[in-house]
Amino acid sequence: MEEQENEKNNLVNDRRSYSSRLGSTSYGSDSYEELLRGSVPCPTCRGKGNIPKEQEGELVALIPVRDKRLKPRRTCLYVGIAVFTCTVIFYSRCLYVGIAVFTCIVTAGLLFFFFSQRDVTIASNVSLLLPHNLTIDTAKKYVYFEVTYPFNISNLNYFPITLTQTSIAVQFNVKVINTTVSTFTLNVPMRSTRKFDVNVGITFSKDNGLAAMAYVYY
């Protein structure tokens, strides 16, 4: 209490000196106390209404609590716009990442589907083969003739293939009497079937133990 009383007296004295400098004597101690009743003096100017010029760059001015500058307008709107923008950016990036991942998965699946190897089948539906270029040598006791074996090659892949060589073994009574290797170039497009023929030479003689078959042809 004593400290507050001293501070009030100092304020009154300062106010009186300020009034005397302005040439006004209308401010007395009673009127100034009435002015300060129910309030506190400004901590910056200490109730003088002005501050020393040499302290102009040091003292801080106070802004009233009810000043509109302390109450930003449309805060909720700005916060909502910021949250909405961040949400849109986040989900847009998630969408882009999802699309990229989906595209990679689909591309990998398509590549695997189209470029995975499938069967290449070679088959013939001819049950009877007729000989041609028949040669019979009674002195050496052998018979030689050729047969043409037709084949169908089917490419089930989604890319073309090339057939360059075939090997056919002729077997009689569990005995291989001849093996024919044919070299050629046959291009088979994707998902298609091509025909080709292979000539096979067959010999019946003493060398392969089938001389008895040669006598049949005599």
Side-chain angles (χ1 to χ4, degrees), residues 13 37 46 68 89 92 126 134 147 156 164 208 211 217:
N13 295 330
R37 182 174 299 174
R46 301 185 63 182
K68 293 182 179 181
I89 294 174
S92 299
V126 177
L134 178 62
V147 293
L156 301 180
T164 58
N208 55 19
Y217 280 94

Side-chain angles (χ1 to χ4, degrees), residues 4-52:
Q4 292 181 356
E5 188 68 25
N6 293 332
E7 185 177 358
K8 186 180 295 186
N9 293 332
N10 292 333
L11 290 175
V12 171
N13 295 330
D14 292 339
R15 187 62 179 176
R16 286 176 178 176
S17 61
Y18 178 71
S19 299
S20 61
R21 287 198 302 269
L22 294 177
S24 174
T25 58
S26 61
Y27 294 97
S29 60
D30 295 337
S31 62
Y32 192 74
E33 290 179 359
E34 183 69 22
L35 181 64
L36 294 177
R37 182 174 299 174
S39 62
V40 294
C42 175
T44 302
C45 65
R46 301 185 63 182
K48 297 179 181 180
N50 61 355
I51 59 175

Side-chain angles (χ1 to χ4, degrees), residues 19-131:
S19 299
S20 61
R21 287 198 302 269
L22 294 177
S24 174
T25 58
S26 61
Y27 294 97
S29 60
D30 295 337
S31 62
Y32 192 74
E33 290 179 359
E34 183 69 22
L35 181 64
L36 294 177
R37 182 174 299 174
S39 62
V40 294
C42 175
T44 302
C45 65
R46 301 185 63 182
K48 297 179 181 180
N50 61 355
I51 59 175
K53 189 172 183 60
E54 59 272 9
Q55 296 183 354
E56 181 180 1
E58 300 176 1
L59 300 179
V60 179
L62 299 180
I63 300 176
V65 177
R66 296 182 180 180
D67 196 310
K68 293 182 179 181
R69 291 175 294 176
L70 299 179
K71 298 180 180 180
R73 297 180 180 180
R74 301 177 181 176
T75 303
C76 295
L77 177 61
Y78 296 149
V79 173
I81 293 175
V83 172
F84 177 76
T85 304
C86 294
T87 304
V88 170
I89 294 174
F90 174 76
Y91 281 104
S92 299
R93 291 185 176 180
C94 291
L95 180 62
Y96 292 150
V97 172
I99 292 175
V101 172
F102 177 76
T103 303
C104 292
I105 293 175
V106 172
T107 303
L110 291 176
L111 291 176
F112 178 78
F113 176 78
F114 285 108
F115 289 98
S116 59
Q117 294 184 358
R118 293 172 173 81
D119 294 336
V120 176
T121 59
I122 298 177
S124 177
N125 55 3
V126 177
S127 58
L128 179 62
L129 299 176
L130 299 178

Side-chain angles (χ1 to χ4, degrees), residues 177-214:
I177 60 177
N178 188 18
T179 300
T180 301
V181 178
S182 301
T183 302
F184 54 89
T185 300
L186 177 63
N187 295 319
V188 184
M190 63 177 185
R191 311 291 293 179
S192 61
T193 301
R194 290 290 184 269
K195 295 181 179 181
F196 67 97
D197 298 330
V198 177
N199 291 325
V200 180
I202 300 175
T203 302
F204 294 146
S205 64
K206 291 181 179 180
D207 295 336
N208 55 19
L210 296 175
M213 296 297 299

